[in-house]
Amino acid sequence: MNYTSKVKEELTKKVNKPAHCRIAQIAAMFSMCGSIMIDENEKYSLKIKTETEYTAKSFKELIWKTFKINGEQVVQSYKTNSKAKVYNVFVRKHEDALKILSATKIINKDGDLEDNIDIKDNTIIKKDCCKRAFIRGAFLATGSISDPQKSYHLEIKCTSEKRAIQLINILKNFNIDAKKVARKGSFVVYIKEGDQIIDTLNVMEATVSLLDMENIRILKDMSNYYNREVNCEIANIKKTVTTACRQIDDINLIIEKKGIDYLPERLRDIALVRLNNPDASLQKLGEILNPPLGKSGVNHRLRKISEIAQELK
């Protein structure tokens, strides 16, 4: 099971008690992946089409709990891939279809179809609890979320740019900054920041998924921290080794050209200590000297030796 399915499975188990919240979720699901069919007698029937079993299950449960309407589920396989399924839920009775369309305000009092995307005057999403349910329904219908082990990305595919803007404004109500992009004839609302995705899971009340993602983020942050520490340590070791090798080469050059006694006593002492301790740090070299010398003092003397070597070259 991929990560999106895990989140949707959890959301399927979340069914609001207030009918107005369930209606908001139904409205979102139908607006994202639903369609209205009208026969020659002007009778309505409804269908939602999804590739996720949890979405179909959630829609059926919601319309039953809210309207006592039984949805008819039909599962189809793709011709090119028998393992991939399409889940259709039908509401075939005209009276049942009208009941859902009227409650979700998809048809008005005059029986005309309308699409109220305004979030201020839209009674379906007037309350914050209904806004939460709407976002949950939208994600169940066409949403996806990447595995946080790999990347942070949540998106919901919308049927129109106006619908995408509506969803962005609803998310903004919870201080979630979503973006939109046109893709293959539809508009996708997406969130890429880990903190914002966690906030979205919280708004949808996907508590288990939220905690799971938080744990993964903590482990990733710790891993990144220790990786930076190790990389820094390796870089310091490489720098120390490179510097030590250069210093030893300089000392050997002086010995070859002039002999060790060519150096003044204070430089001769540190040169011999460096030759005998090629892996030691500057601090360690200073501790070996008698009397001991500080790190800056050791560094100063080794620079003097390097200058003498450069002159001899």
Side-chain angles (χ1 to χ4, degrees):
M1 183 186 293
N2 61 33
Y3 200 78
T4 296
S5 296
K6 289 180 181 179
V7 176
K8 289 188 176 183
E9 180 185 22
E10 181 183 358
L11 293 177
T12 301
K13 298 173 183 176
K14 177 66 182 178
V15 180
N16 290 101
K17 289 184 179 180
H20 51 79
C21 291
R22 295 198 300 270
I23 290 171
Q25 186 167 333
I26 292 168
M29 296 177 76
F30 191 79
S31 68
M32 297 297 176
C33 63
S35 57
I36 302 170
M37 295 164 287
I38 307 174
D39 64 15
E40 65 276 6
N41 298 316
E42 295 190 0
K43 299 294 185 181
Y44 290 157
S45 60
L46 309 179
K47 180 182 80 169
I48 70 159
K49 181 180 179 181
T50 175
E51 296 179 352
T52 308
E53 184 179 5
Y54 297 113
T55 303
K57 178 182 176 181
S58 178
F59 187 77
K60 285 184 65 179
E61 185 175 4
L62 285 166
I63 61 174
W64 171 252
K65 283 185 176 291
T66 309
F67 308 110
K68 293 296 182 282
I69 294 173
N70 268 316
E72 177 191 341
Q73 181 170 306
V74 178
V75 183
Q76 298 173 306
S77 298
Y78 283 105
K79 293 180 180 180
T80 55
N81 184 0
S82 60
K83 292 183 178 179
K85 307 290 184 183
V86 176
Y87 299 87
N88 299 293
V89 178
F90 292 93
V91 176
R92 297 191 186 277
K93 291 183 179 180
H94 175 71
E95 295 77 12
D96 291 343
L98 280 180
K99 189 181 291 185
I100 294 172
L101 292 172
S102 178
T104 54
K105 307 299 182 185
I106 295 172
I107 60 172
N108 58 28
K109 293 178 181 178
D110 299 323
D112 298 323
L113 294 172
E114 64 177 10
D115 188 11
N116 185 4
I117 63 164
D118 187 79
I119 69 168
K120 291 182 179 179
D121 300 323
N122 191 334
T123 57
I124 295 295
I125 49 175
K126 199 73 173 176
K127 298 181 178 180
D128 279 350
C129 58
C130 294
K131 290 183 176 72
R132 290 176 182 271
F134 190 93
I135 295 168
R136 186 188 311 123
F139 182 83
L140 272 168
T142 57
S144 64
I145 181 170
S146 61
D147 187 340
Q149 294 274 17
K150 300 175 182 177
S151 64
Y152 299 129
H153 186 86
L154 182 150
E155 67 178 40
I156 299 172
K157 186 168 69 173
C158 301
T159 52
S160 68
E161 185 174 16
K162 288 182 178 180
R163 184 66 68 190
I165 293 170
Q166 179 196 37
L167 183 57
I168 288 171
N169 288 333
I170 295 173
L171 287 164
K172 194 176 293 182
N173 186 75
F174 298 99
N175 297 316
I176 296 169
D177 185 23
K179 310 293 184 186
K180 65 179 172 68
V181 62
R183 186 195 297 165
K184 296 180 180 179
S186 60
F187 284 84
V188 175
V189 174
Y190 67 91
I191 304 166
K192 297 184 75 69
E193 292 77 22
D195 288 338
Q196 295 271 283
I197 292 174
I198 284 176
D199 289 343
T200 306
L201 291 172
N202 183 46
V203 167
M204 295 191 297
E205 298 177 275
T207 308
V208 175
S209 299
L210 184 157
L211 293 174
D212 182 40
M213 185 171 175
E214 280 282 35
N215 288 335
I216 291 170
R217 290 182 73 214
I218 290 169
L219 291 173
K220 284 177 70 174
D221 288 345
M222 288 177 63
S223 177
N224 290 336
Y225 170 78
Y226 286 117
N227 283 339
R228 286 194 298 269
E229 288 288 302
V230 169
N231 290 337
C232 183
E233 187 66 25
I234 290 172
N236 287 336
I237 291 171
K238 286 182 177 178
K239 183 179 178 181
T240 300
V241 170
T242 302
T243 303
C245 289
R246 187 181 68 248
Q247 292 164 352
I248 290 170
D249 287 343
D250 289 339
I251 295 166
N252 285 329
L253 175 70
I254 294 169
I255 293 172
E256 180 184 341
K257 297 276 188 180
K258 297 289 186 177
I260 192 66
D261 292 333
Y262 180 74
L263 293 171
E265 183 179 357
R266 60 189 182 86
L267 298 184
R268 185 166 61 247
D269 289 344
I270 191 63
L272 292 172
V273 169
R274 168 50 88 196
L275 288 175
N276 292 326
N277 299 274
D279 299 328
S281 64
L282 296 181
Q283 183 177 343
K284 184 64 178 176
L285 293 176
E287 292 172 356
I288 296 172
L289 287 170
N290 188 17
L293 188 63
K295 183 178 176 181
S296 61
V298 171
N299 188 47
H300 175 73
R301 294 185 185 186
L302 287 170
R303 275 209 310 270
K304 286 292 185 181
I305 290 173
S306 177
E307 291 171 4
I308 293 170
Q310 291 303 314
E311 290 174 3
L312 291 175
K313 286 179 182 179

